[in-house]
Amino acid sequence: MATLTKTGSESLTKTERNVGFDVLKTLATLGVVILHSASIEWKEISYATYEWNILNIYDSAVRWVVPVFVMISGAIFLNADFTIERIYKKYISRIVTAFIFWSALYACYEYFDEYEHSLKVTVLSFFKGHFHLWYLYMIVGLYMIVPLVKKIIADEKLIRYFLVISFIFSFLIPELVYVMTNIPLTAMVGKYAKIMIRNMYLDFVGGYTFYFIIGYYFTKIKLNAKQYVMMGAFCFFGILSTAVLTYKFSHILEKNCSEFYSFTSVNVLFQALFVFSLYQLINKIPFSPGAKSVILKLSKYSFGVYLVHDFFILISDKFFHFNSITINPILGVPAVAAITFVGAYIVSAILNHIPILKKYIV
């Protein structure tokens, strides 16, 4: 079994960065770019096309990205002693100012790109945020409950209890209910089960809190080789089942089905747990000082890349008529993702060298 250890928490001291987390942040940022390069076109084309099937495979393979970001945040925040004042003044305030800046830019772009947009629609777009900025709302919510979550993680049994009921009611049951509801033989049972679960109002054990806490929990356990192999097998199954279930239910429902892309689906959870656990193996790699410096810069600029990257996808499609299905999507997705990642990285690097901007918007 996985054993409790202080190894994870010791690597989170102020004097030593966790290089494993830096590597995962960079890979997750690249994964986000791949995800959006594929998913934007996936929504626009029919499930009955060759292109859709290729995009489905790409999309299914990187669903772990957001959960891994959340787990890294949980591992860092729950292993540190941040006062409520510090959480709000340093971390939440930065997320809020970043949201205001980038949401305003995206809303303005939409206003001038879509001439039928009224000022009212633009203001609504600003408050709602561009599609990927939902993450900022969610992470602020998690930061706000850090002092409360600290009470849970103070007791090992309580951590495990929380994770168990959160898994059951936020991952397992909702996915089973969805499947049952959309299969004629079990539709009625699924409908009643959905009503019963909804009426329990178990929002406290919501899915992203699960990721936040399990990220911390993984810094307290040490996995052995057998467990890594097992988790790797589950990860592969998670990717495969995401693609297959999305394909199957899209044909059953005769429309593009994104239910199994949910970050709180069991199949995505399998992916995320394995990928996140790799930080322990990455930390054992003897990186040179130069390599660590490069990894640190890539990690440091990842937040800016996340914020700005969709401008490159939009501009590439709008002005250059190039997107993930302009050519064969097998090549189109990585081509768009590579151009977007490099361009967004350059912009993020520049912004991170401007004193005021680096403090408030990236």
Side-chain angles (χ1 to χ4, degrees):
M1 291 179 64
T3 55
L4 292 175
T5 176
K6 293 183 179 180
T7 303
S9 57
E10 288 174 349
S11 65
L12 298 174
T13 61
K14 293 182 179 180
T15 58
E16 181 183 356
R17 286 187 67 92
N18 190 304
V19 68
F21 289 167
D22 286 328
V23 171
L24 288 185
K25 281 175 65 178
T26 302
L27 291 177
T29 302
L30 177 59
V32 166
V33 174
I34 294 172
L35 176 66
H36 292 160
S37 297
S39 64
I40 291 175
E41 299 305 323
W42 177 93
K43 297 175 183 177
E44 302 298 325
I45 60 178
S46 170
Y47 64 87
T49 62
Y50 161 79
E51 289 82 4
W52 184 92
N53 283 286
I54 299 300
L55 297 179
N56 177 37
I57 293 171
Y58 273 113
D59 207 335
S60 299
V62 291
R63 299 309 299 184
W64 50 267
V65 293
V66 166
V68 165
F69 275 133
V70 177
M71 284 190 278
I72 292 172
S73 292
I76 293 173
F77 272 79
L78 298 179
N79 270 300
D81 293 320
F82 295 133
T83 64
I84 294 176
E85 183 180 23
R86 180 176 174 81
I87 291 172
Y88 275 85
K89 283 189 174 181
K90 182 174 182 179
Y91 298 101
I92 291 180
S93 63
R94 182 192 178 200
I95 298 295
V96 170
T97 54
F99 176 85
I100 292 171
F101 180 85
W102 291 103
S103 189
L105 281 185
Y106 280 110
C108 288
Y109 177 89
E110 292 174 7
Y111 177 78
F112 289 107
D113 184 49
E114 301 288 344
Y115 294 108
E116 71 273 13
H117 273 199
S118 64
L119 181 59
K120 180 179 179 180
V121 171
T122 302
V123 172
L124 180 61
S125 295
F126 165 74
F127 282 102
K128 183 179 179 181
H130 197 56
F131 76 91
H132 69 300
L133 297 182
W134 72 270
Y135 179 84
L136 303 187
Y137 275 111
M138 180 269 292
I139 203 67
V140 163
L142 289 176
Y143 288 172
M144 290 172 67
I145 65 171
V146 164
L148 305 177
V149 174
K150 283 274 193 176
K151 300 298 183 181
I152 296 175
I153 65 172
D155 186 328
E156 183 186 333
K157 290 184 178 179
L158 199 56
I159 295 175
R160 293 177 177 175
Y161 175 69
F162 181 92
L163 292 176
V164 168
I165 61 173
S166 182
F167 170 74
I168 292 172
F169 288 99
S170 296
F171 291 79
L172 183 60
I173 291 179
E175 191 157 4
L176 288 175
V177 166
Y178 179 83
V179 172
M180 293 170 65
T181 303
N182 288 283
I183 295 177
L185 187 63
T186 57
M188 190 60 68
V189 176
K191 181 180 179 180
Y192 290 144
K194 184 177 181 180
I195 294 172
M196 292 169 63
I197 297 302
R198 184 181 62 200
N199 288 344
M200 292 180 73
Y201 293 101
L202 283 170
D203 297 337
F204 181 72
V205 295
Y208 294 104
T209 307
F210 174 94
Y211 284 124
F212 204 62
I213 292 177
I214 205 167
Y216 163 82
Y217 185 70
F218 263 56
T219 67
K220 302 302 180 183
I221 62 176
K222 186 175 182 180
L223 301 171
N224 57 43
K226 183 178 179 180
Q227 290 166 330
Y228 269 111
V229 171
M230 182 179 68
M231 290 179 66
F234 274 100
C235 177
F236 176 77
F237 173 76
I239 294 172
L240 182 63
S241 60
T242 302
V244 171
L245 289 171
T246 299
Y247 171 85
K248 283 290 186 182
F249 275 80
S250 292
H251 282 75
I252 290 172
L253 302 175
E254 297 184 339
K255 63 179 182 179
N256 292 358
C257 170
S258 61
E259 181 69 22
F260 301 98
Y261 286 166
S262 171
F263 299 125
T264 55
S265 62
V266 176
N267 39 289
V268 171
L269 173 62
F270 287 162
Q271 300 178 36
L273 292 180
F274 174 70
V275 174
F276 178 76
S277 72
L278 294 177
Y279 89 88
Q280 294 186 11
L281 297 182
I282 296 170
N283 281 337
K284 295 179 181 179
I285 300 175
F287 291 105
S288 67
K292 285 186 177 181
S293 177
V294 171
I295 291 170
L296 174 58
K297 286 183 178 179
L298 288 170
S299 174
K300 181 180 178 181
Y301 301 153
S302 62
F303 184 49
V305 173
Y306 181 88
L307 294 168
V308 74
H309 77 276
D310 198 53
F311 272 123
F312 285 88
I313 295 175
L314 290 170
I315 291 170
S316 176
D317 187 27
K318 177 74 174 180
F319 298 102
F320 298 97
H321 307 292
F322 184 72
N323 56 49
S324 58
I325 59 174
T326 302
I327 57 177
N328 190 310
I330 293 177
L331 300 176
V333 172
V336 172
I339 294 169
T340 299
F341 184 78
V342 172
Y345 178 84
I346 292 172
V347 171
S348 180
I350 293 171
L351 293 176
N352 270 280
H353 282 83
I354 301 175
I356 296 179
L357 297 184
K358 73 178 183 180
K359 183 177 180 180
Y360 294 106
I361 70 167
V362 290

